[in-house]
Amino acid sequence: MGNGPINMSRRMLPLFVVLCLFLVIPIIINIVKLQVVDGAEWRSKAKNSTVAWRDVKAQRGTIYSADGKMLATSLPVYDIIIDFGKEKVDPKNMYDDSVKTSDGIVYYRWIISKETFERDLPALCDSMAKMFPEKPYSYYYDFFTRERKRQNRYCIIKKSVTFYERNRMKSFPMLRADTTGLSQSKKEKLLASPRFCRAIICDSRDIRIHPYGDMARHTIGFERQIGDSTSYNGLEGFYDKYLRGQQGQRWERKLARREGENMWVPIEDADQKRAVDGQDIVSTIDTRLQELAYTSLYKCVKENQADYGCVILMEVQTGYVRAISSLQYLDSVRGYAEINNQACVNSFEPGSTFKTVTNMVLIENGKVDTAMEVPTGEKYYSEDSTARNPKPKGAKIKDSHSDGTTGTMSMKHSFEVSSNVGTCYPVWLNYRNNRNEFRDKLKSVLPMDRLGLDLALQEPKPYMVDDLSQPIDFLNLCYGYVARFTALQMLAFYNAIANSGKMVKPLFCSEIRQGSETVKKMEPIVIKEKICSDQTLAVLNDLLKGVVENGSARRSLSGTPYGIAGKTGTAQINYTQKDVETMRYCASFAGFFPTENPQYSCIVVVFNPKKGRNYGGELAAPVFKDLADRVCGTILNMDLKIPKEKDVSMPYLKKGYAQDLLQSFGILGMKYKFGDTVANPLWFDAEQDSVGNAVYFAYDLPDGRVPNCKGMTAKDAVYMLEKMGFKVSIEGRGKVTAQSLKQNQPYKRGDRIKLTLNPQSPELPKIDYELSQTNNDKQ
């Protein structure tokens, strides 16, 4: 009897297990069915639900220039959308109409009531027409009336409005939050800081802007849409993983379908993953030098009607590219523009700039000295005659300036005047029976692989002919044919000569930043530790100086106070084509400066000029000198005094940064006058005295008011306005001739101002009083 309950429990246990299995098995079956059989259907329904967890893009980082200017940045813009539809309401609340359905009666109410719409519509249309005058009042009235009748739940009022415009629209009738029923204090607070009513959807997004327009467009990079995917080129593409940041996520509600697409609006909710803004990068581009490179190159290609041209300026020790411009002719209407990064992606036969490589190999291997006498003019190079080869093959080489006569000169002077015959002679003498060895030695001092640039682009691999069995190919290789390099690849070689033989990789980014903190500093990357001995470098430096002082670049480059060393190049483009009436040329100059302690290297290439001038010394060298003069006069602060016997007139600048003007006058050795006694002014303004001289006065920036920028350079105007808190856009080139905001009108930080530039200088205002000689006459 005592074991009765225990026995009872044992008998009930199997029944309990069977009961549990009976309940659990259907649950398991349904779970499997949901996951496997009906899973796709339910997942599809989940995707089409009205609420979803959606990605939020981070704000893209900014690209800065080496001198601190914004080259590319993301600007938030807003799409303002209004809901003209109705919403379901409880029948106990006020409603405007009802609809009978199978489930009963559904009650609706206008999100914007009828009386509010009719009362505020005229004022709203008036406000829109004044703020966005491209459309008249009548357009907005008809538009809002029509969309209200359609009950459009996603009516776009205005797309891509700025932060300032968005804040102004918050106070527009019908768009602003209703103050009915609020206390006086809350009413005043809402009027002081207005917000949109609940019928308004403010959809924010970022657009990429380039404050300096097309400056170095393909180097900085821009967005490219390929199908549904977005990609970037240039710096934007290579450093995309730093710039794009980390996307966030948030809950969004599907509002309606418009043109086949779902429209999603964010739901205010704390449960969201915040996006992490992208990091900033500092490019190596200096806007001051970039603008000069563009201007000088543009003048050259336009005057000579070239197909295209490019120029690159690079810092010797770091490899930082300070300026790069590529201009290509489009048509008679559009003229020249940068449509590709020709300096990095277009390879060409370098011509005579390659002779430096040839002479480096000869000198490094002890085959020649610069005093050696070599033939010039015209020479036939013949293979050795043997019993098996009684009529040997050969090739005739002729100098471009030769009239058919021959003569001899030192190898040094032969290099200076760029003689093809004189270059080929020592190579033929020493390597005609071992041509592959010569080619391999050339490859050992050149960058024969892609540079691996920190730009998203397709860089071609350098090329050099493999089969040198034909004498003409072997000889052509000596002076830059049957080999192809990009302008930047050739510059890397010349930069190595200036850098004591160390070849460094060209760089376009100097550092990556997070806010004001440096995340990563780009140190120089060495490609070749030493391309030749110091003794060979010393000889080459002397040869390259000789080209400028006594040779093919003498007319364009000799006599500079700082010294330039380099080599001209002129290559025939269509020499392989038969029956060509007009020969086409590629003119170039590559070198470095100053000669005593080289700081910068530069290359200029002009492709197919059509105005009669074809040689590197005539076309490319002047562009090189423009850049070198600016760098040495401003960046390196060298003393470039003008000879006293020259009659130099006073330069004209209406307004400018005082320190820059004083430095310029000092460099140029020019006199200037002050019209007041203010010590150490930050900015100068100018007027004109009775005899036509420019007289400079201290210029005080008006507090809280728009300054007058007319007459200033783009650099000074942008710097001044950005310091004052303006967002600046510029159009044109030259000096400021017009500005979108009037002088002395009040402004707020963040206001936008557009400057119009023109090369023509505006006239100086006249002054009719005599200046005190005690204050004005300064050197």
Side-chain angles (χ1 to χ4, degrees), residues 31 215 231 345 489 516 534 573 626 694:
I31 291 173
M215 177 183 282
S231 65
V345 302
Q489 289 162 357
S516 59
D534 290 338
I573 298 170
D626 280 349

Side-chain angles (χ1 to χ4, degrees), residues 20-85:
C20 288
L21 290 174
F22 181 77
L23 295 172
V24 169
I25 287 173
I27 295 173
I28 294 173
I29 291 172
N30 277 288
I31 291 173
V32 172
K33 184 183 177 186
L34 282 170
Q35 290 289 329
V36 179
V37 180
D38 300 331
E41 179 185 350
W42 286 107
R43 281 191 289 271
S44 176
K45 287 181 179 179
K47 286 182 180 177
N48 294 322
S49 65
T50 57
V51 177
W53 186 245
R54 291 170 60 83
D55 294 335
V56 180
K57 282 188 177 180
Q59 186 174 32
R60 194 169 179 83
T62 297
I63 300 178
Y64 290 95
S65 67
D67 51 329
K69 304 295 180 11
M70 285 185 183
L71 298 178
T73 190
S74 291
L75 181 70
V77 295
Y78 306 87
D79 296 339
I80 309 300
I81 301 139
I82 189 167
D83 187 346
F84 276 137

